[in-house]
Amino acid sequence: MKVVLADVEAPRLDEAVDSIVATGAEAIGVVTDVTDGSAVDRLRDAAIERFGRVHVLCNNAGVAGIGPSGGKFVNEAEWRWVLEVNLWGVIHGHRAFLPHLVEHGDGHIVNTSSMAGHFPGHSAYTASKWAVVAITEGLFHDARLRAAGVGVSCLCPGWVNTDIMDSARNRPEWAAPERGIEATELEEQMAAFVRDQLRSGMEPAAVADLVHDAILANRLWVFTDLQMVEGLQPRFAAVLAAENPPTMTLGD
């Protein structure tokens, strides 16, 4: 396939493009801030101008949003930033690309959620990922896409060896933590736990293979950790019984 890559970080984008071109494949990079709908439009236009048609769209941009809370239940600036990237990035992708995919009647859309989109958690990250799960499953049932032959997949990875815990490097100034606020002891422990789990997680290339297979099979769910999926059973059992949910964490 010909590849169009998008990233908010130009140096990393250039490195990724160079690595693909080195294999002999055609690739271009377009610096894109997915929180900006017009930037996503420019990404679409650049892809179509260069290659004529888009067949597979991967809405993959994501940030963790783990700034110090100072004990607050909600840090509004951080919630806005995380939701703008993780959720509105997907929404902008749908708005910009879906009409094109439907029009030419061939293609597949892959939205990256997370297992955090299935486990409860009062955080901006969890809220964004639950929303992505919901709208992607809804899109899967959209009659217009089915009639046009456009497939839909929802990637819900568990622990994967990525740099998502360092996503604050791209945090805008307006979403920066307030001065003088430090992470609580629990937040520091959680951050250390997550970093450890990520380091020992699945390699991104292996996740890509799973996504590839799901596209070919036109399969909605793409899971990297079936033990985590099985861990959802107590919650679903409680829902079916209309009972209070059990305590659940991604670490179980």
Side-chain angles (χ1 to χ4, degrees):
M1 295 185 72
K2 300 174 178 65
V3 181
V4 178
L5 294 176
D7 199 314
V8 73
E9 292 184 90
R12 287 197 170 198
L13 177 60
D14 292 341
E15 291 177 4
V17 171
D18 290 344
S19 69
I20 293 177
V21 172
T23 70
E26 293 186 62
I28 63 171
V30 182
V31 176
T32 306
D33 179 352
V34 299
T35 70
D36 180 356
S38 61
V40 178
D41 288 342
R42 291 192 293 271
L43 170 65
R44 175 203 59 209
D45 294 344
I48 294 173
E49 179 180 359
R50 177 62 181 272
F51 297 121
R53 182 176 291 182
V54 174
H55 294 90
V56 176
L57 170 66
C58 295
N59 287 314
N60 188 62
V63 295
I66 54 169
S69 68
K72 293 182 178 179
F73 285 106
V74 173
N75 180 332
E76 186 171 334
E78 182 163 286
W79 276 69
R80 289 186 181 277
W81 173 51
V82 173
L83 288 171
E84 284 189 2
V85 175
N86 296 4
L87 175 57
W88 273 99
V90 173
I91 295 170
H92 288 315
H94 287 182
R95 179 194 50 74
F97 284 89
L98 280 175
H100 171 71
L101 294 177
V102 170
E103 181 181 4
H104 70 67
D106 174 33
H108 203 96
I109 183 168
V110 180
N111 292 333
T112 298
S113 179
S114 167
M115 285 307 297
H118 297 276
F119 284 83
H122 188 268
S123 71
Y125 184 80
T126 300
S128 69
K129 295 306 184 179
W130 274 66
V132 171
V133 165
I135 64 176
T136 307
E137 187 171 352
L139 196 63
F140 178 82
H141 295 293
D142 192 297
R144 294 167 296 178
L145 270 66
R146 293 196 171 188
V150 177
V152 180
S153 291
C154 187
L155 171 59
C156 300
W159 304 117
V160 178
N161 187 15
T162 70
D163 292 335
I164 192 168
M165 286 293 285
D166 298 318
S167 54
R169 66 186 183 275
N170 293 316
R171 184 195 298 267
E173 290 186 10
W174 59 263
E178 297 178 24
R179 291 183 179 181
I181 293 181
E182 298 182 356
T184 65
E185 182 178 353
L186 179 60
E187 288 171 340
E188 290 180 346
Q189 293 174 351
M190 179 58 67
F193 167 78
V194 172
R195 286 185 182 276
D196 183 64
Q197 294 299 311
L198 291 173
R199 281 193 295 268
S200 60
M202 180 179 287
E203 289 302 315
V207 180
D209 287 339
L210 295 175
V211 172
H212 168 269
D213 293 346
I215 292 173
L216 294 183
N218 195 24
R219 187 170 64 248
L220 173 63
W221 299 116
V222 188
F223 295 116
T224 67
D225 189 331
L226 293 181
Q227 286 188 323
M228 281 190 176
V229 177
E230 292 173 358
L232 295 171
Q233 289 182 348
R235 177 180 178 274
F236 287 129
V239 170
L240 291 172
E243 295 176 348
N244 289 342
T247 300
M248 301 173 64
T249 69
L250 282 171
D252 287 346

